[in-house]
Amino acid sequence: MAHAKRIKTLDILRGLAILGTLGTNIWLFAYLGDLNYLLTFTHNEWWSSADTFWRTLMLALVNGKLLGLLAIMFGIGLELKYRQAQRLGRPWPGMYIWISLILLLEGFLHFTLVMEYDILMSYAVTAMLVSFIVKGGEKVMRIAMIVFAVIHVFFIGFVSLGVLAHQVTADTMATPQAVITLYQSGTWWEQVQYRLSDFWLLRLEALYAIPYNTLLFLIGVKLMRKGAFQDDINGRNLRKKLMKIGLLVGLPLNLLWFVPGGYFDFPVRYLFAPILSLGYMGLIGWLVDKFRSLSLWGFLENAGKMSLSCYVLQNIVCSILFYGWGIGLGGNLNSLTVIAIWIGVCLFQLLFAHLWLRRFHMGPMETARKALTGLLEKGKRTEKSLRA
């Protein structure tokens, strides 16, 4: 049976999401894990200097937005796997659980060896949960979306009330100086030991983000089922609607990031960001429709095809650039320089993906995953034949 044709816009969006995720993480690398530069409890007087303004503006546009887009894209990928299983008559979730477990292992290795803010582990757990929700049908999906939305909004509301009541402050969110020093002058092995010894503390966000990620995964499934990425009049109209609503509603809400004091840090990142994520999705879809021959799309498409490899690669490159065991740029740069480095790393990844896929069919991480999945499938077939 013929394989389903890849949808170009999805690969472009996936590539953009990966590069945009670095737009948030780059500040963690540049300031050696200091969360004060990623939040607005302190260092928030954006009017005081051009340096603070550029950092605040970039974070207002990317912090949580591209991560939200990536979660939606994971949901779309899950729906494509579900359709493939139905098309081939395979049980669901079946092998998808094993694929998710492989992702969990990849995330653990990435967390341990590269950076503590890994998203793959949380996505792996979410993927397993959503695979069973999708199996339950449309009604189960609707109920799950409502339940997880309520849980998520309640949690973010609770944290936001803590900020308003001054129970959540810069001191409670601050990164210990010992950690900053570790990334400034510690060895790579010392950083690995730190991540493992503080595993559960460093994985708290990954755990409490599961309801949020579940909701975004299911939004991705719904969008795919509504035909939002089909190359027809319905798909184009849906993309335009996403663009208009997402930008007109999401952009003003996300600019509340400029309000100093940290009062909107959590609502912007975890409530308002996905609205703008949908706006970005619609905008890119509209631009792809309007300027189909633009060469940039081909580079982004290649990055999207090997998104896992690019995600790991960008974090390895930034570790080398910013941490003390590497070049050691962390803690010594102004905002425009950090933004310039982000652009440079993005261009490097686009070129790397382009050159790699000219020679190979898929990225290195994707190749390893496919090989491991193939071994698992072969083992299951052997087991079934022995039982028969």
Side-chain angles (χ1 to χ4, degrees):
M1 186 175 292
H3 293 286
K5 185 180 178 182
R6 292 187 75 99
I7 301 173
K8 179 178 179 178
T9 303
L10 294 182
D11 284 323
I12 292 171
L13 286 168
R14 197 175 290 111
L16 177 70
I18 289 295
L19 301 182
T21 299
L22 181 61
T24 298
N25 290 340
I26 194 86
W27 303 98
L28 291 170
F29 286 111
Y31 291 102
L32 306 169
D34 190 348
L35 289 173
N36 278 320
Y37 288 91
L38 200 61
L39 303 170
T40 64
F41 290 103
T42 61
H43 307 87
N44 54 29
E45 295 182 350
W46 54 267
W47 59 88
S48 64
S49 68
D51 186 70
T52 307
F53 170 77
W54 286 114
R55 177 173 53 82
T56 306
L57 177 62
M58 183 172 175
L59 287 171
L61 296 175
V62 303
N63 187 15
K65 270 62 75 173
L66 281 303
L67 192 61
L69 177 58
L70 188 61
I72 294 170
M73 299 309 300
F74 260 82
I76 291 169
L78 185 150
E79 170 64 11
L80 291 173
K81 288 289 186 183
Y82 177 65
R83 292 183 182 186
Q84 182 186 55
Q86 288 190 314
R87 191 169 63 248
L88 299 176
R90 294 176 177 173
W92 180 264
M95 278 302 300
Y96 188 77
I97 296 296
W98 288 103
I99 293 173
S100 300
L101 288 172
I102 293 172
L103 181 64
L104 185 65
L105 174 61
E106 291 167 339
F108 175 74
L109 293 174
H110 179 250
F111 164 87
T112 303
L113 304 177
V114 184
M115 69 174 298
E116 62 268 37
Y117 296 100
D118 164 78
I119 58 173
L120 301 178
M121 294 179 71
S122 184
Y123 283 2
V125 175
T126 303
M128 287 185 273
L129 175 61
V130 174
S131 67
F132 287 102
I133 294 173
V134 168
K135 184 179 181 180
E138 291 291 332
K139 184 177 180 180
V140 173
M141 285 176 58
R142 285 195 299 271
I143 294 172
M145 291 180 76
I146 294 170
V147 170
F148 285 108
V150 169
I151 292 172
H152 178 64
V153 170
F154 176 81
F155 177 76
I156 297 303
F158 179 78
V159 175
S160 299
L161 287 175
V163 175
L164 291 172
H166 302 291
Q167 294 173 347
V168 179
T169 64
D171 291 334
T172 60
M173 297 299 297
T175 303
Q177 182 59 45
V179 175
I180 297 172
T181 302
L182 172 65
Y183 284 110
Q184 188 170 41
S185 56
T187 65
W188 170 78
W189 180 244
E190 287 173 334
Q191 293 171 11
V192 169
Q193 290 177 307
Y194 158 66
R195 296 185 194 113
L196 290 175
S197 63
D198 289 64
F199 178 84
W200 291 110
L201 178 63
L202 294 173
R203 293 284 72 192
L204 277 179
E205 184 186 26
L207 289 172
Y208 69 64
I210 288 175
Y212 174 62
N213 289 334
T214 301
L215 178 62
L216 294 181
F217 271 48
L218 290 170
I219 288 174
V221 173
K222 286 286 189 181
L223 286 172
M224 195 65 195
R225 292 187 178 185
K226 287 183 177 293
F229 305 101
Q230 294 300 316
D231 191 17
D232 56 22
I233 187 65
N234 176 61
R236 288 190 288 272
N237 286 338
L238 280 172
R239 291 192 288 274
K240 286 181 182 179
K241 186 180 293 186
L242 286 174
M243 177 179 67
K244 291 177 181 178
I245 295 175
L247 294 180
L248 291 175
V249 177
L251 191 57
L253 288 174
N254 280 272
L255 289 177
L256 291 172
W257 188 263
F258 277 91
V259 177
Y263 302 112
F264 289 98
D265 281 7
F266 293 97
V268 166
R269 179 174 169 85
Y270 294 108
L271 293 180
F272 306 150
I275 303 173
L276 192 52
S277 299
L278 294 172
Y280 287 163
M281 179 179 286
L283 174 63
I284 295 301
W286 178 77
L287 289 172
V288 171
D289 291 336
K290 194 169 181 65
F291 304 101
R292 290 181 180 272
S293 60
L294 196 64
S295 58
L296 173 63
W297 304 137
F299 285 92
L300 283 171
E301 183 182 5
N302 286 334
K305 287 178 179 177
M306 47 186 288
S307 55
L308 177 61
S309 297
C310 285
Y311 173 65
V312 173
L313 174 65
Q314 69 188 19
N315 294 327
I316 292 174
V317 169
C318 285
S319 297
I320 295 170
L321 289 174
F322 292 108
Y323 291 162
W325 54 263
I327 297 175
L329 297 177
N332 301 311
L333 304 174
N334 60 43
S335 294
L336 286 179
T337 304
V338 174
I339 293 171
I341 292 174
W342 168 64
I343 294 172
V345 175
C346 288
L347 292 175
F348 167 72
Q349 288 183 96
L350 292 174
L351 180 61
F352 172 77
H354 172 72
L355 294 176
W356 183 277
L357 290 179
R358 287 180 64 178
R359 184 174 179 83
F360 304 101
H361 180 64
M362 59 182 65
M365 294 288 291
E366 288 76 10
T367 300
R369 175 188 289 180
K370 184 177 181 181
L372 185 54
T373 304
L375 288 174
L376 289 171
E377 288 180 332
K378 184 178 179 180
K380 289 181 73 68
R381 287 196 298 267
T382 302
E383 183 182 353
K384 284 184 179 179
S385 64
L386 289 174
R387 286 179 179 178

